[in-house]
Amino acid sequence: QILKHAEKNLTSEDTPAIIIPKGAQLYGCLIESNEIKMKTKAFDKISSEAIVSGETYTCHNLNILKHKVLTEKFALCYIDFLFPEIEVIKELKFRAKIDGKVNGIAIWFDLYLDDTETISTSPKRNNLSAEHFDGCLGWDQAIFYVEEFEISKTLANRPIRYQYKSDRIEFLDHALLGRHSLADTDIAKLNDNLFIEWYKDVIANNVNERKVLILQDGILKYMTVPICYDHGASFIAGCKSDGFLETNMKKYCGEKFQSFRFDDFSDFIESSDVNFDFLIANFVDSAGLLLEGSIEQFLLAKTTMSSRLDSKEIITLPSSVRVFYRGYYNKELRFQRSIDIDNTCGIDLSSINDYSVDICSNVSLSRDEFVPVTEVNSSYNLLDISSAKIDENKTVKLKYLNGQRLMNCIGFWYEFGHCGSTYLTFPTDPEEFTHFKQSVYMLKAEVPTTPGGRIELSLRGISKKIMHVISV
């Protein structure tokens, strides 16, 4: 619409417009991915109703996403940016390479700059033919969520109907079926059985007759409220959720449940006549970064309740948060950390590199692209079990692995702990399949490693919103 408006009002027959890019050819393939499936659909723990992603698609780099390619590359429609075919239903015919269960439809496009030059956003993978998957670095692909269905290499597969609307592609078959919807990251949490079971184990053994305060995370509250209620909590409070989540929890718990607005947390803590003695929190988001203000809010609640309850023990879940970190090399990260001056047509843009982003989140450190070059270190505690204190700045060392290598980033993840009759931990590390990703701090320059040597890191505490490496 913007292009049409500009073409109509800013050009004339004497000065015809040159549109760059002029159009795009869409391509795609069908994929099977547990990671995508985890974000697509879950079932309500209270009513057993289906909950589906409120987004129709997500963006992922297929070079990084763990998945199987089930079909040959196929062509969809061509979109002329000035005169697109809108709401014309077409059929997507595909050929299966292997049998599988389709969780997503991956889409990318070739941008036509003119009649001869194109830019492709295709993924580039070593196990796929280069002539079919030869896109540029730095592009993500769109992955459309679908109700899971099976395809066969040997049997006939039904085409998938789709249409282009003014701002999106819409698939008319295999739409997600569910009465309610949530963000796809929330769906992933509801499907993370390891995460839920860890909370359940601790709550079940400690919550009886306790008054529970659940901090921050609306989905964490929704997951843990039924567990607290079922195991004898005398009262439960948490920040207000939207829609059916709140309704379901009130129906399930009755007068034992109370909500407060997230923005009013401090006032709620100060004015509430309930002495909470069981605190539940989540400190890390799905992308692998600390939730801003989460530990400070947690300590405010603990300090306030401790002053009221004198010697009575306050149970906290988690009671510790430990940071793990390791040095890695990933050759593609340098394209995200700095501009390659060879690609700037002789224009000096090197000063921009001084302002580039240090943190890259939502990555999977288990991928082959991340090559470990140091041992893992876990000597940094953000929250200590024995005290209500948090670490600030700290200096730590990482030992290099044998062999001469380069290092260009520090990967980090977290471990939640609870100290009861036994010490139970839940890691967000790359070796476990959970909804958590990891994050990396990107170094300003590649560092050569020496066998048996060490690198010293200066870490900044959470008072500055995020823990990260500030010097090497």
Side-chain angles (χ1 to χ4, degrees), residues 192-366:
D192 192 340
N193 292 326
L194 289 175
F195 188 55
I196 295 171
E197 285 301 314
W198 181 73
Y199 276 97
K200 185 176 180 179
D201 287 344
V202 177
I203 292 170
N205 293 324
N206 295 281
V207 80
N208 189 42
E209 296 301 319
R210 294 263 180 178
K211 298 178 178 65
V212 181
L213 177 61
I214 304 171
L215 306 176
Q216 288 173 324
D217 193 330
I219 292 300
L220 176 64
K221 180 183 72 171
Y222 188 57
M223 294 187 316
T224 53
V225 161
I227 301 172
C228 293
Y229 182 82
D230 291 343
H231 289 88
S234 61
F235 189 76
I236 308 166
C239 59
K240 186 181 286 289
S241 304
D242 292 329
F244 75 97
L245 296 182
E246 195 73 16
T247 302
N248 282 358
M249 285 183 284
K250 287 180 178 177
K251 286 181 179 178
Y252 195 77
C253 300
E255 295 181 354
K256 285 189 174 183
F257 176 75
Q258 180 184 0
S259 292
F260 58 86
R261 288 180 55 85
F262 175 78
D263 295 340
D264 298 335
F265 172 77
S266 298
D267 292 339
F268 174 80
I269 287 294
E270 296 294 338
S271 61
S272 176
D273 57 1
V274 179
N275 294 326
F276 295 100
D277 53 6
F278 196 115
L279 307 181
I280 299 176
N282 178 30
F283 301 123
V284 180
D285 66 18
S286 299
L289 295 175
L290 283 178
L291 289 163
E292 183 178 342
S294 58
I295 292 184
E296 290 88 344
Q297 189 188 70
F298 178 77
L299 293 178
L300 171 63
K302 184 174 181 179
T303 302
T304 303
M305 292 302 126
S306 295
S307 65
R308 297 182 188 178
L309 294 169
D310 297 324
S311 60
K312 185 176 180 180
E313 178 191 14
I314 296 178
I315 295 176
T316 63
L317 178 59
S319 53
S320 68
V321 180
R322 182 183 296 179
V323 185
F324 288 72
Y325 36 91
R326 186 176 203 176
Y328 290 89
Y329 180 72
N330 183 325
K331 64 180 181 180
E332 291 188 9
L333 276 184
R334 68 187 180 92
F335 295 107
Q336 299 185 43
R337 181 64 179 82
S338 60
I339 295 174
D340 190 339
I341 59 174
D342 292 337
N343 296 329
T344 58
C345 302
I347 302 172
D348 184 7
L349 300 177
S350 58
S351 60
I352 296 178
N353 293 336
D354 295 333
Y355 302 95
S356 57
V357 176
D358 292 334
I359 297 292
C360 182
S361 63
N362 204 34
V363 302
S364 296
L365 291 175
S366 60

